[in-house]
């Protein structure tokens, strides 16, 4: 068995496919508007004519690469290449402002690798046990998970909590637009067909982050560039390694667990990891100013999701996220049914996927580290030329997601809005978080009550629900209790 | 800063009232299951409360923390012109076609921002536009052909 | 400046591959005269998208000037189908039309879409609802399940409110004179997961979507809501034979704008009829549990009209019409 697996992965052809997949994934991930899901879907038809193992490993390579690749544009251009990198923007872009983009990319690459490896190990060693966890999640648990995620708004609000809540609530309100998923009632659509399916998340994100930043750059477009990027060292320093080794493995575990939960993807894994790192930190106030923890945690978190998402897929035939859903399609086309039988009937394939995914993470590390200097070169383009090019990337990126010009208008609207929000010192990230988690919270709250026929006890009926309730209260009340304790100490 | 905070709080409060007004007309709850209007009203109320908190915090903010926000200097006017130009660009692009509209947009902005000679601006713009067109259109299969020209 | 040049050269290198794809064959027929696009109103990688891509792949030899799949998503399919219905009637835009064409107009979210805006080319595939419960469920037949539903409110999961599997469950409830507690999910997969976890009592999604769970012994199908037994599963009875007169399912097919000239329609029909017989397409459909179900233009047109009436009545009765 072992030999078969080693043979099937360590052949020139398979290794080549993995590396090609990872490379394609990094490029797709780095381009704004092209998500990991789209990347995998674009490559999928190529695998129809292939054998099962190379085909699926090519797709997994794209997946792993794309989740990592999103951080490159997030750090360099404040443009999250994929939603998974939205949390990386917070600290990552601050590094580039200081001219330390090389350092930031190095931390991101190594952390992504660690997160990925942690999740592959979990997939390899304990996936059957973990898989059962996925089935324990029903509507009330999803609702409480979303609320827990939203409580992170408290830690990414910048200077004013009130402004953070305003902005987060704005994001949730945007998510109401479109057909209500529980009753089918069209809300805030104003009879516009483009609003029926709701506000597209990617154009809003590109507008709020990238376009608003480009406008801010225009303010100083005629003053010469002052920051020169230090690209000499991308390999993290000793002190950075300390931070990475402290945070990346934990975030990898968090990401893996988020990945297992069906319907919660890499973007949520990244934000939850960021919030966790901030809670653990001795200096939470420095998050958002460009510290290594702010990159290590979300990047390890989102790549941790990659392995986690495959756990329910391989063990039960249930997708952990949108990419896993496509991978199920890819396996069925090959005549393979993901599910419990896959482990017993196609053992070689399953273990080849584990090993191949491990190799994909190594390929990501090597490709990442060797090409970082090339990526940083983007920033050596003078901003007077780079800024208009970013305009084009924002426009094409938001068009590409649905091939709809309406989305381009949405992007520009939120770009302008984001610019003025920055002026008023309102952090935009809570809006993105609200847009991601709002629908999950609302639909599952109402679905839970539909299932329980109106009884609210369903929200405290399971141990998982209690865990999330406890974590949420801890996040919201923890700082208050901490302050009170400090005061008590100082008066004593 | 104070003025900006009051504007933020006022705009959000107005927005919240607008949301609540619309949501009131949505179908009611059904057998204990909240209807489509409940969450919008709940979240809009949260916006109202936060806007109020922000307004009170700002009132009590010491003068020393009150920093000026630049909305009228020449640099900011450049941003407004840029925004206007981009609005024109995205309105016209679907009619004109991607390559022509984007090349022209890029040439004008790069010339304005960088003051490089025209031929350099045109070269950079056209090469970049075609590169993006081919990357998204041919390699990634995003339909990029629309409009009268290319 | 030098660095900028380096960047541009790099970009061009990456893009060089794009040029390699161009093929130059000469067209010998009057159709197609230019590139053709097939509109898929759902996102890339989904069930409808995969069937469309496989079919287009099998037909691409007949399109020397290139044929490509375009995903135009939004409005539960309304955006893409409206785009396709209002395209130039010259065969340059073919649309993958699905059952939502005859359900969305009645739920009030079709944004002006109506089935007569299309001239049907052919139906390609169909899938009927399968009433599925957990393997360890106490109900072994449809009758036991429906009789139990008279005293206990059954939670039946579907793929979205007003979506076809919701209508299927509602149609079954109507035929058996029981009321279900319909639980909508965002797509079929989360509904299946929820049944697997025992959080709901049954689901009414298509057989192909639960086939792997049935094979693994996690779920059992009580009946299919099909007019006849499905060839792949001859042991599963239809609801009709059990005395509940209901047959509801989804289908996918091709359509062109209604003003398209007949010669072009005939040409497209013959191209895709051939493509649907291609070995690669048949293999794909069987491998992915999709049932090939070909109807020609006339028969498909009749089905569109009949289903339109069926769903109009059902949706009105369920009170699913919005605004």
């Amino acid at each position: 068995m072992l030999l078969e697996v080693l043979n099937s992965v360590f052949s020139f052809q398979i290794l080549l496919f993995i590396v090609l997949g990872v490379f394609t994934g990094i490029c797709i991930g780095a381009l704004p508007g092209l998500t990991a899901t789209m990347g995998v879907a674009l490559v999928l038809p190529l695998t129809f004519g292939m054998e099962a193992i190379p085909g699926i490993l090519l797709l997994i390579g794209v997946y792993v690469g794309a989740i990592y690749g999103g951080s490159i544009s997030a750090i360099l251009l404040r443009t999250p290449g994929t939603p998974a990198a939205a949390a990386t923007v917070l600290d990552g872009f601050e590094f580039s402002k200081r001219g330390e983009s090389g350092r930031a990319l190095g931390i991101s690459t190594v952390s992504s690798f660690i997160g990925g490896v942690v999740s592959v190990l979990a997939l390899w060693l304990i996936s059957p046990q973990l898989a059962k966890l996925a089935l324990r999640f029903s509507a009330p648990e999803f609702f409480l998970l979303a609320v827990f995620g939203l409580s992170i708004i408290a830690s990414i609000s910048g200077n004013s909590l009130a402004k953070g809540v305003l902005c987060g609530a704005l994001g949730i309100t945007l998510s109401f637009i479109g057909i209500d998923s529980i009753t089918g009632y069209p809300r805030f659509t104003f009879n516009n067909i483009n609003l029926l399916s709701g506000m597209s998340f990617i154009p809003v994100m590109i507008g709020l982050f990238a376009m608003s930043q480009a406008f801010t750059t225009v303010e100083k477009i005629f003053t010469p560039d002052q920051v020169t990027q230090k690209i000499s060292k991308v390999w993290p320093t000793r002190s950075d390694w300390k931070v990475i080794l402290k945070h990346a493995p934990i975030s990898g575990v968090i990401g893996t667990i988020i990945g297992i939960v069906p319907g919660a993807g890499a973007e949520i894994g990244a934000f939850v990891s960021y919030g966790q790192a901030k809670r653990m930190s001795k200096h939470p106030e420095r998050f958002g100013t460009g510290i290594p923890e702010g990159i290590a945690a979300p990047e390890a978190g989102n790549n941790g999701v990659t392995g986690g998402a495959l756990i329910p897929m391989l063990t039960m035939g249930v997708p952990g996220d949108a990419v896993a859903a496509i991978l199920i399609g890819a396996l069925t086309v090959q005549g393979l049914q993901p599910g419990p039988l896959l482990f017993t009937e196609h053992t070689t394939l399953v273990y080849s996927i584990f090993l191949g995914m491990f190799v994909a993470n190594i390929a990501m590390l090597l490709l990442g580290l060797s090409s970082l200097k090339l990526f940083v070169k983007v920033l050596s383009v003078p901003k007077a030329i780079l800024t208009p090019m970013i305009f084009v990337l924002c426009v094409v990126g938001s068009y590409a997601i649905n091939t709809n010009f309406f989305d381009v208008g949405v992007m520009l609207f939120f770009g302008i809005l984001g610019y003025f929000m920055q002026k008023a010192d309102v952090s935009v990230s809570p809006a993105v978080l609200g847009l991601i988690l709002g629908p999950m919270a609302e639909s599952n709250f109402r679905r839970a009550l539909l299932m329980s026929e109106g009884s609210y006890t369903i929200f405290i009926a399971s141990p998982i629900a209690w865990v999330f309730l406890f974590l949420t209260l801890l996040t919201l009340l923890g700082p208050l209790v901490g302050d009170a304790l400090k005061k008590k100490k100082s008066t004593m | 800063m104070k003025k900006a905070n009051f504007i933020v709080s006022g705009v959000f409060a107005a927005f919240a009232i607008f949301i609540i007004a619309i949501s009131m007309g949505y179908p009611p709850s059904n057998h204990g299951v909240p209807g489509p209007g409940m969450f919008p009203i709940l979240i809009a109320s949260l916006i109202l409360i936060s806007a109020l908190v922000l307004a009170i915090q700002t009132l009590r903010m010491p003068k020393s923390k009150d920093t000026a926000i630049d909305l009228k200097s020449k640099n900011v006017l450049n941003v407004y012109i840029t925004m206007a130009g981009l609005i024109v660009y995205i309105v016209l692009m679907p009619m004109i076609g991607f390559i022509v509209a984007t090349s022209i947009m890029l040439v004008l902005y790069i010339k304005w921002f960088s003051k490089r000679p025209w031929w350099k601006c045109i070269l950079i713009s056209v090469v970049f536009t075609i590169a993006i067109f081919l990357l998204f259109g041919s390699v990634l299969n995003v339909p990029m052909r629309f409009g009268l020209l290319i | 400046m030098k660095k900028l040049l380096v960047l541009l050269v790099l970009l061009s290198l990456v893009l060089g591959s794009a040029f390699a794809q161009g093929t130059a064959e000469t067209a010998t027929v009057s159709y197609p005269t230019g590139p053709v696009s097939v509109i898929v109103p759902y996102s890339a990688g989904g069930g409808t998208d995969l069937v469309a891509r496989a079919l287009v792949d099998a037909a691409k030899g007949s399109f020397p000037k290139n044929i490509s799949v375009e995903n135009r998503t939004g409005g539960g399919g309304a955006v893409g189908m409206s785009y396709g219905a209002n395209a130039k009637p010259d065969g340059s835009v073919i649309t993958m039309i699905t059952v939502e064409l005859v359900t969305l107009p009645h739920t009030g979210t079709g944004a002006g879409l109506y089935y007569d805006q299309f001239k049907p080319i052919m139906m390609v595939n169909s899938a009927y609802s399968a009433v599925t419960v957990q393997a360890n469920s106490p109900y072994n037949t449809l009758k036991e399940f429906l009789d139990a539903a008279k005293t206990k409110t059954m939670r039946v999961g579907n793929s979205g409110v007003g979506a076809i599997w919701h209508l299927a469950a509602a149609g079954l409830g109507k035929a058996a004179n029981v009321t279900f507690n319909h639980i909508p999910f965002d797509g079929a997969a989360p509904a299946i997961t929820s049944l697997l976890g025992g959080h709901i009592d049954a689901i009414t999604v298509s057989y192909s979507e639960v086939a792997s769970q049935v094979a693994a012994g996690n779920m059992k199908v009580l009946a299919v809501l099909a007019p006849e037994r499905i060839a792949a599963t001859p042991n599963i009875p239809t609801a009709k034979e059990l005395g509940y007169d209901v047959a509801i399912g989804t289908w996918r097919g091709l359509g062109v704008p209604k003003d398209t000239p007949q010669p072009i329609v005939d040409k497209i029909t013959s191209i895709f009829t051939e493509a649907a017989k291609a070995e690669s397409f048949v293999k794909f459909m069987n491998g992915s549990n999709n049932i090939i179900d070909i109807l020609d233009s006339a028969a498909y047109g009749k089905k569109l009209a009949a289903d339109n009436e069926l769903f109009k009545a059902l949706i009105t009765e369920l009170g699913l019409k919005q605004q």
Side-chain angles (χ1 to χ4, degrees):
Chain A
M1 221 282 289
L2 184 68
L3 262 179
E4 259 178 82
V5 172
L6 288 176
N7 270 335
S8 71
V9 174
F10 290 108
S11 74
F12 176 74
Q13 182 215 10
I14 305 246
L15 288 176
L16 182 75
F17 276 130
I18 295 177
V19 172
L20 262 180
V22 173
F23 178 76
T24 315
I26 294 178
C27 295
I28 287 176
L31 285 168
L34 294 171
T35 62
T37 317
M38 279 175 79
V40 174
L42 281 169
V43 177
L44 175 66
L46 300 180
T47 68
F48 290 165
M50 293 184 191
E51 297 275 305
I53 292 177
I56 201 87
L57 288 181
L58 175 69
L59 295 175
I60 287 177
V62 174
Y63 182 28
V64 169
I67 294 289
Y68 157 69
S71 71
I72 297 170
S73 34
I75 289 169
L76 295 177
L77 306 172
R78 202 175 187 249
T79 311
T82 68
T88 311
V89 168
L90 299 169
D91 280 83
F93 185 66
E94 298 297 320
F95 276 87
S96 293
K97 270 192 190 163
R98 290 199 301 259
E100 295 184 306
S101 53
R103 181 180 164 209
L105 288 170
I107 295 170
S108 150
T109 311
V110 174
S111 307
S112 296
F113 171 72
I114 294 176
V117 168
V118 167
S119 77
V120 173
L121 287 179
L123 178 65
W124 199 318
L125 300 174
I126 44 173
S127 57
Q129 288 84 343
L130 283 174
K132 294 202 179 82
L133 186 68
L135 288 185
R136 301 285 287 276
F137 271 76
S138 179
E141 289 80 15
F142 284 126
F143 166 71
L144 291 165
L145 169 63
V147 171
F148 171 59
L150 285 170
S151 70
I152 294 162
I153 286 180
S155 38
I156 55 170
S157 294
N159 298 327
S160 160
L161 181 61
K163 284 178 181 173
V165 175
L166 276 181
C167 196
L170 173 72
I172 300 178
T173 309
L174 289 175
S175 77
F176 294 143
I177 297 173
I179 296 174
D180 171 28
S181 64
I182 300 295
T183 60
Y185 191 86
R187 296 189 290 184
F188 309 108
T189 53
F190 309 106
N191 288 323
N192 186 330
I193 184 174
N194 291 306
L195 291 176
L196 269 184
S197 51
M199 197 54 91
S200 278
F201 165 63
I202 308 252
V204 176
M205 188 183 73
I206 294 179
L208 284 177
F209 282 131
M211 201 66 182
S212 68
Q213 182 58 40
F215 286 139
T216 309
T217 315
V218 170
E219 274 185 25
K220 299 187 189 89
I221 201 91
F222 297 112
T223 48
D225 296 277
Q226 278 155 358
V227 181
T228 43
Q229 299 290 337
K230 284 172 270 181
I231 54 165
S232 50
K233 44 179 183 196
V234 288
W235 188 250
T237 59
R238 258 183 94 107
S239 61
D240 282 350
W241 264 112
K242 260 191 189 159
V243 175
I244 293 172
L245 288 178
K246 184 177 164 205
H247 288 277
I250 299 173
S251 298
V253 171
I254 294 174
T256 308
I257 294 170
I258 299 280
I260 294 168
V261 176
E267 61 276 18
I268 298 178
F271 270 112
V272 172
S273 299
Y274 187 86
Q276 177 55 34
K278 190 167 175 179
R279 268 189 296 273
M280 271 172 50
S281 169
K282 288 192 194 92
H283 44 79
E285 70 285 349
R286 282 172 54 206
F287 275 77
T289 60
I291 53 172
E293 295 91 311
I295 297 174
E299 278 309 308
N302 63 26
N303 274 83
V305 168
T306 54
L310 297 190
I311 290 176
M313 176 197 118
L314 288 173
T315 51
M316 295 182 302
V318 163
D321 69 356
V323 175
I326 300 179
L327 292 180
I328 288 183
L331 283 172
T332 15
V333 167
Q334 302 282 354
L336 299 163
Q337 294 288 358
L341 297 182
L342 200 66
F343 266 90
T344 46
E345 288 174 9
H346 302 278
T347 321
T348 313
L349 173 89
V350 171
Y351 284 92
S352 302
I353 289 179
F354 294 166
L355 186 60
M357 193 158 186
F358 189 75
V359 175
N361 274 290
I362 293 174
M364 176 189 83
L365 179 73
L366 298 179
L367 277 174
L369 287 176
S370 57
S371 54
L372 284 183
K373 290 185 180 175
L374 204 73
F375 287 122
V376 178
K377 284 235 162 64
V378 172
L379 288 192
S380 54
V381 178
K383 66 182 175 204
I385 294 170
L386 185 62
T387 308
M389 288 177 172
I390 291 177
F391 294 161
V392 177
L393 278 176
C394 289
V395 167
V396 176
S398 38
Y399 169 73
I401 192 82
N402 287 328
T403 55
N404 189 340
F405 283 106
F406 180 79
D407 286 338
V408 182
V410 168
M411 184 278 296
L412 192 56
F413 174 82
F414 282 97
I416 295 173
L417 185 73
Y419 171 73
F420 288 111
M421 281 165 75
Q422 279 195 355
K423 287 246 153 196
D425 197 25
V426 181
S427 153
V428 293
S429 337
V432 174
L433 194 62
L435 199 54
I436 296 173
L437 291 173
M440 187 169 159
E442 190 201 1
S443 65
N444 283 301
F445 179 75
R446 293 165 65 202
R447 188 174 294 125
L449 288 174
L450 199 57
M451 286 174 160
S452 73
E453 296 175 59
S455 162
Y456 281 80
T457 50
I458 190 170
F459 292 109
I460 46 168
S462 78
I464 299 180
W466 280 101
V467 168
F468 283 120
L469 273 173
F470 175 72
L471 286 175
T472 309
L473 286 178
L474 197 69
T475 311
L476 294 178
L477 303 178
L480 294 178
V481 177
D483 284 356
L485 283 178
K486 261 183 215 159
K487 259 184 200 161
K488 214 175 171 188
K489 254 188 193 162
S490 62
T491 51
M492 260 157 65
Chain B
M1 199 67 217
K2 274 194 160 184
K3 205 173 149 196
N5 278 0
F6 284 128
I7 295 175
V8 167
S9 133
V11 169
F12 271 94
F15 175 71
I17 292 167
F18 171 71
I19 296 292
I20 293 175
I22 295 185
S23 313
M24 289 296 214
Y26 288 166
S29 298
N30 189 359
H31 299 296
V33 182
M38 185 194 124
F39 258 73
I41 292 175
L42 203 75
I43 298 295
S45 311
L46 185 66
I47 294 182
L48 270 181
I49 296 170
S50 309
L52 198 69
V53 170
L54 179 63
I56 295 170
Q57 281 176 347
T58 312
L59 272 177
R60 292 157 74 188
M61 192 163 78
K63 262 234 159 76
S64 55
K65 277 194 171 176
D66 193 4
T67 45
I69 289 184
D70 171 17
L71 286 174
K72 291 193 205 87
S73 74
K74 191 160 178 306
N75 287 337
V76 180
L77 286 182
N78 286 338
V79 178
Y80 298 154
I81 298 170
T82 308
M83 288 175 180
L86 282 174
I87 293 173
V88 173
Y89 163 64
I90 67 161
V91 169
L92 292 182
M93 182 184 52
M95 294 178 245
I96 299 175
F98 179 79
I99 292 185
V100 174
T102 305
S103 303
I104 293 173
M105 184 275 275
L106 276 177
V107 170
L108 295 177
Y109 278 117
I110 293 177
K111 175 70 190 169
W112 179 30
F113 292 160
S114 74
K115 315 264 190 277
R116 282 186 167 73
W118 278 106
W119 72 267
K120 273 190 188 167
C121 297
I122 293 173
L123 181 74
I124 295 168
S125 304
V126 172
V127 172
F128 182 75
T129 308
I130 292 178
I132 289 289
F133 179 82
L134 291 175
L135 177 62
F136 279 84
S138 303
V139 182
L140 300 170
N141 273 326
V142 177
M144 300 290 283
R145 285 170 202 277
F146 40 75
L148 287 172
L149 307 166
I150 39 171
Chain C
M1 195 62 213
K2 200 183 127 220
K3 283 174 178 168
L4 180 66
L5 278 176
V6 171
L7 175 76
L8 289 175
V9 168
L10 276 172
L11 258 175
S12 337
L13 274 178
V14 174
L15 299 168
S17 60
F19 293 101
Q21 293 185 351
T23 47
E25 279 174 53
T26 46
T28 50
V29 287
S30 59
Y31 177 87
T33 50
V36 171
S37 46
V38 174
I39 306 295
V40 174
Y42 302 96
S43 47
T48 306
D49 179 68
L50 292 181
V51 171
R53 284 180 195 272
L55 186 63
V56 164
D57 199 56
K60 70 174 177 230
S62 310
F63 294 90
K65 294 257 172 90
N66 201 10
I67 178 164
S68 60
V69 174
E70 274 182 35
N71 302 87
R72 288 188 182 260
T73 56
V79 170
M81 283 193 271
S82 294
Y83 175 86
N86 296 313
K88 241 196 210 166
D90 59 0
S92 61
V93 174
I94 304 170
T95 309
M96 197 78 184
I97 51 178
T98 59
V99 74
E100 282 73 15
L101 179 61
V102 293
T103 63
L104 290 174
H106 309 305
T107 51
T109 52
L113 189 70
Y114 212 70
Y115 77 97
D116 63 4
Q117 290 170 317
F118 283 103
K119 190 173 273 186
I121 298 283
M122 63 186 287
M123 186 167 96
V124 180
N125 120 271
S126 69
Y128 289 93
S129 167
V131 184
T132 310
V133 295
Q134 268 194 302
N136 58 9
S137 151
Y139 317 112
N140 288 312
T141 65
L142 185 65
K143 190 167 181 309
E144 284 174 20
F145 177 74
L146 291 172
D147 285 347
K150 288 199 166 101
T151 50
K152 173 183 183 256
T153 315
M154 293 289 181
R155 290 163 299 182
V156 180
N158 61 58
S159 56
V161 62
I164 186 69
W165 306 132
H166 181 193
L167 298 174
L172 177 66
K174 187 181 144 198
N177 208 9
V178 294
T179 320
F180 297 127
N181 181 6
H182 299 282
I183 315 283
F185 290 87
D186 298 321
I192 296 169
T193 312
S194 196
L195 180 66
L196 209 54
H199 306 291
I200 50 177
D201 299 305
I203 47 176
T204 49
V205 302
S206 73
Y207 178 75
S208 62
E209 282 162 315
V210 294
S212 64
Q213 299 298 344
V214 173
N218 291 330
M219 293 183 183
K220 58 189 177 193
V221 177
L222 301 181
V224 287
L225 306 185
E228 288 152 28
R229 291 196 178 200
I230 298 171
T233 57
N235 297 327
I236 301 175
T238 67
K240 216 170 176 175
E241 355 172 329
L242 299 172
Y244 306 99
D245 188 13
V246 54
I248 294 177
T250 181
W251 38 258
R252 303 175 178 123
L254 298 172
V256 289
K258 67 170 189 292
D259 295 327
T260 311
Q262 198 56 42
I264 293 182
V265 174
D266 293 340
K267 180 75 187 166
I268 298 175
T269 310
S270 73
I271 290 174
F272 282 100
T273 311
E274 275 309 304
K277 288 180 196 148
E279 197 194 335
S280 66
F281 180 70
V282 175
K283 190 173 158 244
F284 165 81
M285 294 296 275
N286 291 337
S288 57
N289 278 319
N290 279 299
I291 296 158
I292 299 183
D293 189 357
I294 307 286
L295 285 184
D296 64 12
S297 181
Y300 192 23
K302 271 188 205 138
K303 185 171 174 63
L304 281 173
D307 274 6
N308 187 54
E309 287 309 310
L310 171 74
F311 291 123
K312 188 177 174 183
L314 198 55
I315 290 167
T316 317
E317 201 169 310
L318 289 171
L320 282 172
K321 190 169 174 62
Q322 309 292 346
Q323 288 177 334

